[in-house]
Amino acid sequence: MTSIDRKPGMDSESAILVGVELSNSFAPNVSSHTKVLDELAGLVETAGASVVARLTQKRAAPDKTTYVGRGKVEQLEQLVEAAGADLVVFNNNLSPAQTRNLEQALGVKVLDRTEVILDIFSGHAQTHESRLAVELAQLEYSLPRLKRMWTHLSRMKMGVGMRGPGEKQLETDRRLVEKRISDLRRDLERILKRKEREVAARKDRMTVSLVGYTNAGTSTLMNYLTEAEVLVEVKLFATLDTCTRRWQLPVWGPVLLSDTVGFIRDLPHRLIASFKATLEEARQADLLIHVADASNPAALDQIVAVYEVLRELGIEEKDTILALNKIDQMEDPLQVEVLLNRYPNAVPVSAHTGEGLSRLTSKVSEALSKDFLDLEIDLDVGNGRLLAYLSEFGEVLSRTFAENRVTVHCRIAEKHMGPLRNGDDIHVRPYVGLNGKSHQQAHNQDHHQAPSTDSAKIDEVA
């Protein structure tokens, strides 16, 4: 199944996309092919090339030498010539040998999905940290492929005095690459430790992190909520560097909101490892807001893909609110109902128009309040340091003075209880209202249920 879309006058490289669906069932699945190649087309175009043709195949297992079968290689060779393509991009990850064999057969450059993603990351990295992370991922990917880069040496005539110059240079390059990888790992480990200290130093504030599939709209949401002026582009991986801003939650108070790099299906493991420092904000956050593009036909697949990446990062158990973004762009209103049937606690929103964001902020406030304690604290009126601490890290609801003592009714996060546990002159007890119930008990009774964060957990995804 192929198609050619000629675009005359193109200055960029022209690419043919190849998608191989591995399955024991040979029933046609045009929808599946279309989804994966549409995403690959977006990656290729973001990298700066133009798509001129597509080719798909369904196989039980990849061919060891060329990934696709011999007949498909011949068909692809004809397609390259007919379309005048400069490169062929596989949606599947190729081995170095498969890439080398395909390039020899087709006479053009052959890339796989990982190489395209790495190329995009390289072009979009802005900070020293992200540039180091991308370079490490690229070098780790290229190390087993150095031989392919030196294929031009095989054309040199071998003989006396000319034996193995390519092999010698290859070994030299390999040693240089391995040393650079070692240096980069050491530098990034140092950055990660510094980042961990920076994030830990902010633990006196509640933190919320935006995560989501690339181009789902996390940066647009960040801008709407905090006026952060983060770069917003309709491109994959427009954001590679973490941005943290103060977000004033109505009623609740200020929190720190972070935007992170977008995820993608089958995100290369070396990229996840390289970007540990950048993703530290999400790892340490008190709450995640998972932003999904509800208008995308592959929204369900993308939601699952994000949860898979979160699992790889080891933060699958963190409370997460699912925000179904871009509802203003949905052509079929039933599409959001399908998503809500699968994720009933999700919040439909539009980061562009602001629709649904008041409900989202309410859910965030509710989720962050889950670990708050409703207390009465009796202390000496002259203990100004502790009174200031309660005002800064808690919500002071009332103060009652009696002689040289003051009783403070305060809501405070459990993680900020440290100073309240140290002191013989401090008495802390649960707040009890006029009806003899604590604030939390009254809240639960009013709602006839235990409080819920309405969060979408990883283990809900099957």
Side-chain angles (χ1 to χ4, degrees):
M1 171 176 152
T2 62
S3 62
I4 298 178
D5 180 17
R6 291 189 176 275
K7 298 181 180 180
M10 291 186 302
D11 295 325
S12 60
E13 287 184 296
S14 55
I16 294 176
L17 309 184
V18 180
V20 180
E21 185 174 347
L22 301 176
S23 172
N24 292 323
S25 168
F26 284 83
N29 191 345
V30 177
S31 175
S32 176
H33 280 317
T34 301
K35 281 182 182 180
V36 296
L37 287 188
D38 282 348
E39 181 174 88
L40 182 62
L43 289 169
V44 169
E45 289 166 0
T46 300
S50 301
V51 178
V52 294
R54 300 184 179 198
L55 183 146
T56 59
Q57 185 180 36
K58 196 164 187 178
R59 293 177 60 89
D63 185 277
K64 292 181 179 180
T65 57
T66 55
Y67 208 94
V68 292
R70 183 181 302 177
K72 281 294 179 181
V73 173
E74 294 175 356
Q75 186 180 354
L76 188 54
E77 186 178 1
Q78 297 171 0
L79 190 57
V80 167
E81 184 177 354
D86 303 299
L87 70 153
V88 173
V89 183
F90 274 69
N91 190 59
N92 317 80
N93 288 326
L94 305 175
S95 70
Q98 289 168 336
T99 303
R100 184 172 61 250
N101 294 336
L102 284 166
E103 286 183 338
Q104 290 174 350
L106 302 176
V108 296
K109 181 168 57 177
V110 176
L111 305 177
D112 62 18
R113 186 172 178 272
T114 296
E115 286 181 284
V116 176
I117 293 175
L118 289 172
D119 184 73
I120 295 171
F121 271 54
S122 179
H124 289 185
Q126 298 295 323
T127 66
H128 177 64
E129 174 188 325
S130 60
R131 285 171 182 162
L132 290 181
V134 172
E135 184 183 355
L136 175 60
Q138 287 179 315
L139 289 176
E140 288 181 328
Y141 182 85
S142 65
L143 183 59
R145 293 165 172 79
L146 286 177
K147 189 172 182 180
R148 165 191 164 204
M149 300 175 186
W150 277 94
T151 51
H152 66 282
L153 290 170
S154 64
R155 292 191 289 270
M156 294 179 63
K157 184 177 179 181
M158 295 295 104
V160 177
M162 291 293 293
R163 199 178 310 276
E167 284 77 2
K168 290 181 180 179
Q169 184 62 54
L170 179 62
E171 286 304 316
T172 300
D173 282 2
R174 182 175 285 118
R175 285 194 296 271
L176 290 172
V177 170
E178 288 173 344
K179 183 181 185 304
R180 181 58 178 162
I181 287 175
S182 177
D183 291 343
L184 286 170
R185 284 176 177 167
R186 185 180 61 251
D187 291 344
L188 284 170
E189 185 65 28
R190 186 166 57 247
I191 290 174
L192 176 59
K193 289 180 180 178
R194 187 187 69 213
K195 190 76 172 180
E196 288 174 345
R197 291 194 299 269
E198 291 175 355
V199 175
R202 296 201 298 262
K203 291 305 287 182
D204 57 343
R205 298 290 182 186
M206 300 298 283
T207 56
V208 180
S209 188
L210 298 170
V211 298
Y213 209 80
T214 180
N215 207 30
T218 58
S219 296
T220 304
L221 182 58
M222 177 85 167
N223 288 342
Y224 193 100
L225 296 175
T226 68
E227 300 180 357
E229 298 184 359
V230 176
L231 172 69
V232 175
E233 290 186 289
V234 186
K235 286 184 178 181
L236 301 178
F237 303 113
T239 302
L240 290 189
D241 302 297
T242 300
C243 171
T244 302
R245 293 292 185 272
R246 187 175 183 271
W247 178 24
Q248 185 68 32
L249 269 175
V251 181
W252 200 93
V255 300
L256 294 178
L257 182 66
S258 297
D259 186 19
T260 59
V261 58
F263 300 154
I264 197 169
R265 176 182 56 85
D266 298 328
L267 190 66
H269 294 283
R270 54 181 53 87
L271 267 181
I272 296 176
S274 299
F275 273 79
K276 275 185 179 178
T278 301
L279 294 168
E280 186 64 21
E281 300 282 356
R283 288 172 56 85
Q284 298 294 338
D286 296 294
L287 177 72
L288 300 180
I289 299 178
H290 174 183
V291 183
D293 180 1
S295 68
N296 193 306
L300 282 172
D301 294 335
Q302 292 182 356
I303 290 171
V304 173
V306 170
Y307 284 138
E308 288 296 330
V309 175
L310 291 177
R311 182 178 287 111
E312 287 193 52
L313 291 171
I315 53 178
E316 68 271 19
E317 295 300 326
K318 195 176 294 292
D319 282 349
T320 306
I321 295 175
L322 178 61
L324 302 176
N325 192 28
K326 302 187 182 182
I327 57 173
D328 57 307
Q329 300 179 22
M330 301 187 71
E331 298 178 359
D332 184 3
L334 292 179
Q335 190 173 343
V336 72
E337 295 300 325
V338 172
L339 295 172
L340 287 173
N341 285 337
R342 181 66 183 86
Y343 301 100
N345 294 322
V347 186
V349 301
S350 169
H352 180 67
T353 66
E355 182 181 355
L357 292 186
S358 60
R359 183 170 174 234
L360 177 63
T361 55
S362 296
K363 281 185 171 288
V364 171
S365 296
E366 182 183 349
L368 292 178
S369 299
K370 182 183 65 172
D371 295 324
F372 269 61
L373 303 175
D374 199 19
L375 303 173
E376 274 188 345
I377 302 134
D378 182 70
L379 67 156
D380 191 281
V381 72
N383 195 340
R385 178 176 295 182
L386 187 55
L387 288 171
Y389 180 88
L390 293 175
S391 297
E392 183 176 1
F393 299 111
E395 180 186 3
V396 176
L397 302 175
S398 69
R399 293 185 179 90
T400 304
F401 295 89
E403 298 181 359
N404 63 339
R405 306 291 293 178
V406 58
T407 300
V408 180
H409 175 200
C410 178
R411 292 181 67 251
I412 190 167
E414 190 171 1
K415 69 178 183 178
H416 294 318
M417 284 293 293
L420 302 179
R421 296 189 177 101
N422 304 320
D424 297 332
D425 199 34
I426 302 172
H427 305 287
V428 181
R429 56 184 175 271
Y431 172 76
V432 178
L434 295 176
N435 59 1
K437 294 186 177 66
S438 70
H439 174 81
Q440 191 65 58
Q441 288 173 330
H443 175 83
N444 293 349
Q445 187 177 43
D446 289 343
H447 291 78
H448 303 289
Q449 60 182 14
S452 168
T453 62
D454 282 324
S455 59
K457 289 282 196 176
I458 293 292
D459 53 17
E460 292 176 358
V461 182

